[in-house]
């Protein structure tokens, strides 16, 4: 009960970028000269990033809480869906080491998603609605009049 439930612990002013991998897509959004932009070779570098959408996503990261820690569970067990660390959110900072949250399988009966963060905790549950918000695609950060419709 004394354990801190917030997954990420950072000052939003220190964030210099983040990388998201979900659904086979990997992309980076970086802060350059005070403005947010897609990293080169992301396939979206010609699209403008909406700063308000980045700020909202950073707030989602900062408010992500663990519903429960599963101290007896090994994240390398296939049943959690984290073993190969396929889906993740990696947050970069000016001075601190990156913080990487790995997303596993959702559990319908628990209405939660299994997550793992290296060197912080092995296995925890995050509410599935919150996990879905973390699983953003690149189009989630593009100004609405510039969004790409994928087929």
């Amino acid at each position: 009960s004394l354990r801190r439930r917030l997954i990420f612990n950072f000052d939003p002013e220190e964030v210099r970028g983040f990388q998201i991998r979900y659904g086979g897509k990997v992309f980076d959004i970086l802060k350059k000269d005070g403005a947010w932009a897609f990293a080169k070779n992301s396939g979206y570098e010609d699209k403008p990033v909406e700063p308000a959408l980045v700020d909202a996503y950073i707030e989602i990261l900062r408010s992500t809480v663990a519903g429960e820690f599963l101290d007896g569970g090994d994240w390398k067990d296939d049943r959690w869906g984290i073993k190969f660390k396929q889906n993740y959110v990696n947050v970069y900072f000016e001075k601190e080491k990156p913080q990487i949250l790995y997303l596993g399988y959702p559990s319908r009966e628990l209405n939660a998603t299994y997550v793992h963060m290296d060197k912080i905790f092995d296995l925890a549950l995050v509410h599935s609605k919150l996990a879905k918000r973390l699983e953003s695609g690149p189009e989630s950060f593009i100004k609405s009049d510039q969004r790409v419709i994928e087929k």
Side-chain angles (χ1 to χ4, degrees):
S1 64
L2 298 175
R3 192 185 308 205
R4 185 179 142 277
R5 292 198 179 269
L6 282 174
I7 301 290
F8 289 97
N9 182 22
F10 62 80
D11 176 353
E13 297 299 318
E14 291 295 313
V15 175
R16 70 172 179 86
F18 50 89
Q19 180 179 70
I20 299 174
R21 183 175 195 279
Y22 182 72
K25 293 182 185 176
V26 179
F27 66 96
D28 290 84
I29 294 180
L30 303 172
K31 195 177 218 178
K32 298 177 187 174
D33 301 322
W36 292 103
F38 286 104
K40 290 183 180 179
N41 303 321
S42 69
Y44 291 87
E45 56 271 11
D46 60 333
K47 298 291 179 193
V49 173
E50 178 63 51
L53 298 173
V54 173
D55 292 343
Y57 189 77
I58 289 172
E59 273 310 304
I60 291 168
L61 292 172
R62 290 185 64 227
S63 63
T64 301
V65 295
E68 185 178 347
F69 291 97
L70 305 175
D71 294 325
D74 182 358
W75 65 268
K76 295 175 189 166
D77 188 326
D78 285 340
R79 65 184 163 156
W80 314 122
I82 302 171
K83 182 178 180 180
F84 299 108
K85 298 182 177 183
Q86 300 176 74
N87 300 319
Y88 59 80
V89 178
N90 186 359
V91 185
Y92 306 108
F93 304 98
E94 294 293 335
K95 299 173 185 168
E96 303 295 321
K97 291 181 181 180
Q99 294 181 20
I100 307 171
L101 178 66
Y102 297 97
L103 303 162
Y105 294 139
S107 168
R108 284 196 173 120
E109 56 274 2
L110 299 173
N111 197 22
T113 297
Y114 297 104
V115 297
H116 159 66
M117 188 176 276
D118 279 335
K119 298 181 177 90
I120 306 294
F121 60 83
D122 277 344
L123 199 61
L125 290 166
V126 168
H127 194 281
S128 286
K129 276 189 178 179
L130 190 52
K132 279 283 176 217
R133 293 178 71 192
L134 295 173
E135 298 167 344
S136 295
E139 54 283 338
S140 301
F141 300 96
I142 298 171
K143 291 183 181 182
S144 60
D145 60 339
Q146 298 289 320
R147 290 201 180 157
V148 175
I149 299 173
E150 295 186 13
K151 295 180 181 179

